[in-house]
Amino acid sequence: MSTISLTQKQKNKHLNLEHYSFIVVQVTKFNSKHSTKRNIGKTQFLKDLSVSVGTSLSNIYSILKDASVTVIDSQLREHSVLSAQAAYNRRTNFARSNNFKRYKAAAFIQLVESRVKANKLSSIDETIHHLILHEPQTIQGLPTICTRTFYTYVHNNLVDIKPIDLPRMVRRKKNKCWKTYIPKKQKGTSITERPKSIDSKEEFGHWEGDLVTGPRDGQKGAYLTLLERKTRFYLMLPIPRKSSKHVYMMINRLNRFYGDSFSNIFKSITFDNGSEFARWKDIEIKPGTRKQRTKVYFGRPYHSCDRAANENCNGLVRYFIKKGTDINTISKSMTRDINDKINQKKRKILGYLPAEKLFIEELIKINVTENTIFYKT
């Protein structure tokens, strides 16, 4: 059998019309030579042909299937012949179909790109589903593509969004090797005593709290971060330094802002066991009275998973403010902008709605229509 110059065994993308013609010619010769005998040595012949062409045996069968066309002779009788051009057209047109879909949905792709780039925290999945579920009028009449197809375009550099534009895509971490820690004394009321109704996240008003610091010592500012478990609404409140006094003072500022509604909005707060929450008893009691304004719980030592949603949003802050940054040098407008981006992020767990929208709806239910968002005042 004559051969054609080819590289190592591949699938189909390296084959051109010359290869298809070679395959069809060799099979046609074999069929004519063995016209009176049925399939004698044909399987071995096709195996040798696949090696010669540099593809798989199954691909040879697929090519022959696509090359089969029906023609009518001069006697108006139909019979099948092999056409290299027919096989090539069928298989290459199929390969171009994805590009055709991309061109057809160009307007939708540009819309998604603009939305994702407008908010550094927006993912492609969240943006697409938010448009489909909550803004159908915006994409009415536009051909669309699914999330999986869009991510394929990103990986193949077919759109303007690159993996580096999607922080989560390039920051995937491998499984950690957990360390062994010495048991630590726990403060206050343990999370294990927290009512099961809070764990279900069906009731509004239960928060998770933590501190995001600049340098490790926390003497150059920090953010007291609070996250409402049901709506995922997030507060990042700047304090001058990492101390229990400043945490307590910030909680008091929140109390003054929301007034009598504070106890309905902050029914409970779950902290970690850091020293900055040492004044938890003062946090629980309304200043100047003996009336309880909230309930404080503490997660298990070395179990950040007890406040997983809060830790997740703390990680989002790090996209904008790197570790070691002096928090006291961050402007109020930048802090507000970061907080806005996190609360306006469309979340899958919230039905592709932003946390801010759901938080305000919950406030309306308890008749809080003024002084709704603390950091915007």
Side-chain angles (χ1 to χ4, degrees):
M1 180 189 302
S2 59
T3 60
I4 189 169
S5 177
L6 292 166
T7 58
Q8 66 182 42
K9 185 175 180 181
Q10 301 179 52
K11 288 189 177 180
N12 182 63
K13 292 183 179 179
H14 72 295
L15 301 180
N16 55 34
L17 183 57
E18 181 185 0
H19 301 130
Y20 283 83
S21 299
F22 176 76
I23 294 170
V24 168
V25 168
Q26 294 300 321
V27 172
T28 302
K29 287 181 179 179
F30 180 88
N31 289 341
S32 61
K33 185 176 180 180
H34 301 82
S35 58
T36 58
K37 302 175 182 179
R38 177 169 293 185
N39 295 328
I40 296 180
K42 188 169 184 178
T43 301
Q44 186 60 47
F45 167 78
L46 294 178
K47 287 182 180 179
D48 295 338
L49 181 60
S50 66
V51 173
S52 177
V53 174
T55 188
S56 63
L57 177 61
S58 61
N59 198 39
I60 292 291
Y61 280 115
S62 297
I63 291 172
L64 294 177
K65 180 179 179 181
D66 290 332
S68 179
V69 295
T70 301
V71 297
I72 300 177
D73 59 16
S74 58
Q75 303 297 323
L76 301 180
R77 292 175 298 186
E78 293 183 353
H79 60 278
S80 297
V81 297
L82 297 178
S83 170
Q85 188 67 56
Y88 181 76
N89 290 341
R90 288 173 179 173
R91 296 170 74 80
T92 53
N93 286 341
F94 176 78
R96 280 197 292 266
S97 62
N98 283 339
N99 286 334
F100 175 72
K101 182 189 292 185
R102 179 163 58 92
Y103 297 137
K104 187 177 180 182
F108 177 76
I109 292 173
Q110 290 176 0
L111 177 60
V112 174
E113 288 174 346
S114 64
R115 293 287 182 92
V116 171
K117 291 181 178 180
N119 187 336
K120 188 176 180 180
L121 303 179
S122 295
S123 73
I124 291 172
D125 174 72
E126 292 165 348
T127 303
I128 289 178
H129 282 89
H130 178 78
L131 286 169
I132 294 173
L133 296 175
H134 307 292
E135 296 186 42
Q137 70 284 354
T138 304
I139 58 174
Q140 186 174 5
L142 293 180
T144 63
I145 57 176
C146 67
T147 298
R148 184 173 182 177
T149 299
F150 206 115
Y151 277 114
T152 300
Y153 291 164
V154 172
H155 287 297
N156 293 334
N157 294 319
L158 297 176
V159 291
D160 288 339
I161 297 176
K162 309 303 178 187
I164 194 65
D165 298 325
L166 304 170
R168 286 296 172 92
M169 182 177 287
V170 296
R171 290 183 61 177
R172 298 292 183 189
K173 294 183 179 180
K174 297 181 180 179
N175 293 333
K176 294 182 179 179
C177 296
W178 296 102
K179 299 178 182 179
T180 301
Y181 296 98
I182 299 174
K184 184 178 179 181
K185 184 178 179 181
Q186 191 170 8
K187 296 182 177 66
T189 307
S190 171
I191 192 174
T192 57
E193 299 177 38
R194 193 173 69 179
K196 298 298 182 182
S197 59
I198 298 178
D199 296 338
S200 66
K201 301 179 183 178
E202 294 180 356
E203 183 181 9
F204 173 75
H206 300 286
W207 298 70
E208 298 174 2
D210 195 10
L211 242 61
V212 173
T213 62
R216 282 185 178 271
D217 58 11
Q219 298 307 303
K220 292 187 177 180
Y223 286 113
L224 170 62
T225 63
L226 298 168
L227 179 133
E228 202 285 313
R229 289 169 57 83
K230 180 179 180 180
T231 63
R232 294 300 201 276
F233 184 77
Y234 185 71
L235 291 171
M236 47 185 296
L237 312 172
I239 56 178
R241 67 181 63 89
K242 177 183 176 180
S243 72
S244 59
K245 174 184 175 181
H246 289 96
V247 169
Y248 171 65
M249 292 172 63
M250 181 56 71
I251 295 295
N252 287 344
R253 285 186 60 189
L254 275 173
N255 194 163
R256 290 193 295 270
F257 180 79
Y258 286 111
D260 295 337
S261 300
F262 181 87
S263 296
N264 292 325
I265 299 173
F266 292 85
K267 296 175 182 176
S268 75
I269 308 176
T270 302
F271 293 121
D272 64 17
N273 288 271
S275 60
E276 61 272 17
F277 304 118
R279 296 187 63 173
W280 60 272
K281 290 183 179 179
D282 296 331
I283 292 174
E284 286 188 331
I285 304 300
K286 186 176 181 179
T289 70
R290 294 185 178 180
K291 183 179 179 181
Q292 179 172 303
R293 59 178 171 181
T294 188
K295 177 64 178 175
V296 174
Y297 297 98
F298 287 92
R300 294 165 295 172
Y302 309 112
H303 284 71
S304 58
C305 57
D306 288 342
R307 301 169 296 98
N310 181 256
E311 292 286 355
N312 177 276
C313 285
N314 291 345
L316 299 180
V317 174
R318 291 301 185 190
Y319 293 159
F320 304 93
I321 301 175
K322 303 304 178 183
K323 291 183 178 180
T325 304
D326 186 347
I327 302 293
N328 289 328
T329 64
I330 305 298
S331 67
K332 292 182 179 180
S333 60
M334 182 177 179
T335 297
R336 184 170 58 250
D337 182 60
I338 296 170
N339 212 158
D340 266 337
K341 281 183 166 60
I342 294 175
N343 285 326
Q344 291 169 10
K345 173 180 169 66
K346 283 75 177 178
R347 296 178 179 272
K348 182 177 181 179
I349 197 171
L350 302 177
Y352 298 100
L353 288 170
E356 181 178 311
K357 174 181 173 63
L358 298 181
F359 180 72
I360 292 176
E361 289 177 355
E362 291 292 338
L363 291 183
I364 292 174
K365 292 178 183 178
I366 56 176
N367 298 319
V368 178
T369 55
E370 298 180 357
N371 295 339
T372 55
I373 300 180
F374 176 75
Y375 64 83
K376 291 191 177 183
T377 59

